[in-house]
Amino acid sequence: MTMLMPAFELHQPKTLDEAVKLIAAFKGDFDILSGGTDLLPNYKCGLNAHKNVISLQHIAELREIRTGKGDSPQKEKGTVPFSGLEIGGGVTLIQLERDKNVPASVRDCAHHVASPLLRESGTVGGNLMQDTRCHFFNQSYFWRRTLGYCLKADGDRCHVVPNLNEGGKNVLNTKVCVATNCSDLAPMFMVLGASVLLVGPQGSRTIPLTQMYAGDGIERFAIKRGEILAKIILPASTANWRSGWKKLAPRQSIDFSVLGVAAALELAADKSVKSLRVGLGSVDVRPVMFDYGAKSDQPAPTSYLFVDPAKAPPQVAGKKLDEALINQIADHVKTCASPKLNVPMEPAYRKKMAGVLTRRLLTELAAG
Ligand SMILES: Cc1cc2nc3c(=O)[nH]c(=O)nc-3n(C[C@H](O)[C@H](O)[C@H](O)COP(=O)(O)OP(=O)(O)OC[C@H]3O[C@@H](n4cnc5c(N)ncnc54)[C@H](O)[C@@H]3O)c2cc1C
Ligand code: SF4
């Protein structure tokens, strides 16, 4: 069956300013295009296409990776104290995995996205902003029509969570979408304390990456539509942390993760834990991060959703990262993970594997 690309007008600005003016002019009827490896397949499936497509491919300033030498411009605005590494939103995944200034864990994570061909086009901004995924959404128009579509495109029901309990009554779900965020890079960048520089018609601002995502499979973001992700900023403070990444996918190449686990560890001189963060991808509508080292009086910049309140996070600061502590953390991650049956592999298996991969990764980081 042929899947035709819908008609749209392609705009190719050469600067961020020009792109922002186009965004303001089109009053919502636009999409931003970077490498196109996520957006264009969705267009071909007839998923939420718009009349105007604004390509970022000709904006040179988005394609740079720069190491911070001194204070970043954001310091004057009081948001980011120092930029260790600035990665343009239009940097391709191949560029990211080959740049020796980029932490090895991030390069490894990028290297396991999709396939070499897709990584040549796919970008860091597109990876972080990619659409959420679901068996009932990532299908052709014809396929979706046989089921009456769904909330996320063209329909009014959810096939994954068909009913909601409202005030003790079982009602048809006409509002909640639990499509899964499968970005590999998001949890990896989160555990390293990344911020993002957003540029849009209302100006520019820098926010922690953990605050960029919303708990809704349709809206996806807590930022305004039309804000361009111009840079990912990795702070110098985490540059020497031990960090790593593990991915579960049906096949080693080409397939999206059905679970991704990232972790970053800061050790004190006596080898006790100073900071420890674990990030989870592909188990929720947004990437999830647990900040185990955060002091209880300072809320951590986490973005986790389904934390079981009965399961208190283990205390890690000042302790040795031994087998017993690793098992406690892995158990906490497993308990909190809440995958849905909308991407490949059973939720129960992915939940169990969240604990297994956390344990393996932390064991590796503890060993150095
Ligand atoms: C077969 C296949 C396998 C894949 N496997 C993986 C995988 O293993 N792991 C994974 O993480 N992803 C995977 N992907 C998804 C995708 O290819 C990558 O995430 C890629 O990095 C997306 O980047 P892009 O530049 O092509 O995004 P695009 O398709 O250009 O854009 C994706 C979305 O982000 C928005 N966007 C892009 N850049 C910006 C920006 N700078 N500012 C604001 N909005 C922006 C677009 O509007 C669009 O909504 C896969 C895709 C395919 C087709
Ligand atoms: S989870 Fe979202 S995308 Fe999947 S069927 Fe439900 S509404 Fe559609």
Side-chain angles (χ1 to χ4, degrees):
M1 187 184 165
T2 331
M3 298 201 310
L4 294 176
M5 187 70 81
F8 58 78
E9 196 168 333
L10 181 66
H11 305 269
Q12 302 186 77
K14 294 210 167 44
T15 64
L16 262 178
D17 278 355
E18 277 176 46
V20 167
K21 280 188 189 132
L22 288 168
I23 286 167
F26 295 138
K27 299 189 178 10
D29 196 1
F30 67 87
D31 266 313
I32 293 168
L33 176 82
S34 197
T37 60
D38 180 54
L39 188 80
L40 296 182
N42 283 355
Y43 266 42
K44 277 193 153 185
C45 288
L47 294 165
N48 304 326
H50 287 91
K51 247 184 6 215
N52 297 287
V53 171
I54 304 167
S55 167
L56 305 179
Q57 285 185 356
H58 299 278
I59 304 180
E61 63 193 288
L62 293 179
R63 300 214 160 228
E64 290 173 3
I65 300 181
R66 295 196 321 183
T67 49
K69 301 258 190 319
D71 295 337
S72 83
Q74 281 75 46
K75 182 165 185 196
E76 288 99 66
K77 294 180 191 156
T79 45
V80 174
F82 177 78
S83 65
L85 190 69
E86 297 186 341
I87 302 165
V91 164
T92 63
L93 299 173
I94 284 279
Q95 207 183 332
L96 188 72
E97 71 177 87
R98 289 185 181 160
D99 193 306
K100 299 278 189 293
N101 291 310
V102 175
S105 54
V106 175
R107 294 170 57 199
D108 179 50
C109 178
H111 178 71
H112 287 93
V113 172
S115 66
L117 198 61
L118 287 161
R119 295 198 296 275
E120 286 283 358
S121 307
T123 63
V124 176
N127 192 282
L128 296 178
M129 307 285 284
Q130 65 180 274
D131 208 344
T132 46
R133 300 189 65 77
C134 174
H135 285 315
F136 299 97
F137 174 73
N138 299 105
Q139 303 288 352
S140 67
Y141 190 82
F142 171 76
W143 192 103
R144 291 182 294 114
R145 192 175 60 186
T146 58
L147 278 184
Y149 313 104
C150 82
L151 284 174
K152 191 162 157 67
D154 308 308
D156 58 3
R157 71 199 68 181
C158 174
H159 304 292
V160 179
V161 183
N163 298 301
L164 294 176
N165 185 324
E166 278 185 357
K169 280 196 194 140
N170 206 16
V171 296
L172 198 67
N173 174 11
T174 54
K175 48 189 174 205
V176 179
C177 166
V178 292
T180 301
N181 184 305
C182 294
S183 165
D184 280 334
L185 285 176
M188 186 69 248
F189 279 134
M190 279 182 182
V191 297
L192 291 172
S195 307
V196 284
L197 174 65
L198 303 166
V199 179
Q202 271 96 43
S204 64
R205 63 193 177 121
T206 306
I207 60 166
L209 180 60
T210 48
Q211 289 174 14
M212 194 174 83
Y213 298 93
D216 177 80
I218 298 172
E219 294 301 330
R220 293 147 54 207
F221 299 111
I223 64 173
K224 295 180 198 78
R225 181 164 152 72
E227 284 191 287
I228 296 173
L229 194 159
K231 274 181 197 167
I232 295 95
I233 303 157
L234 289 181
S237 56
T238 57
N240 294 321
W241 290 24
R242 296 179 186 180
S243 58
W245 165 253
K246 294 222 177 281
K247 169 169 178 165
L248 179 70
R251 293 169 295 182
Q252 285 295 301
S253 184
I254 205 75
D255 283 336
F256 281 87
S257 302
V258 293
L259 166 70
V261 181
L265 167 71
E266 183 188 23
L267 292 177
D270 66 356
K271 300 277 185 239
S272 65
V273 177
K274 264 177 101 175
S275 310
L276 174 59
R277 297 172 187 159
V278 177
L280 281 187
S282 306
V283 290
D284 204 316
V285 287
R286 57 181 164 185
V288 179
M289 187 182 89
F290 307 96
D291 192 341
Y292 293 104
K295 293 192 192 92
S296 53
D297 57 337
Q298 283 176 1
T302 51
S303 69
Y304 52 85
L305 261 190
F306 298 107
V307 176
D308 178 353
K311 188 84 189 166
Q315 297 300 306
V316 300
K319 292 188 179 169
K320 290 270 185 263
L321 190 58
D322 56 15
E323 197 182 336
L325 186 56
I326 288 174
N327 284 338
Q328 274 182 47
I329 296 165
D331 196 37
H332 181 257
V333 170
K334 185 185 83 179
T335 307
C336 296
S338 179
K340 304 285 179 296
L341 187 52
N342 54 11
V343 295
M345 295 197 186
E346 284 288 317
Y349 175 66
R350 286 155 59 214
K351 186 174 173 70
K352 188 172 172 190
M353 286 305 288
V356 172
L357 294 193
T358 302
R359 195 173 63 241
R360 287 182 193 162
L361 181 54
L362 293 184
T363 304
E364 283 173 23
L365 295 188

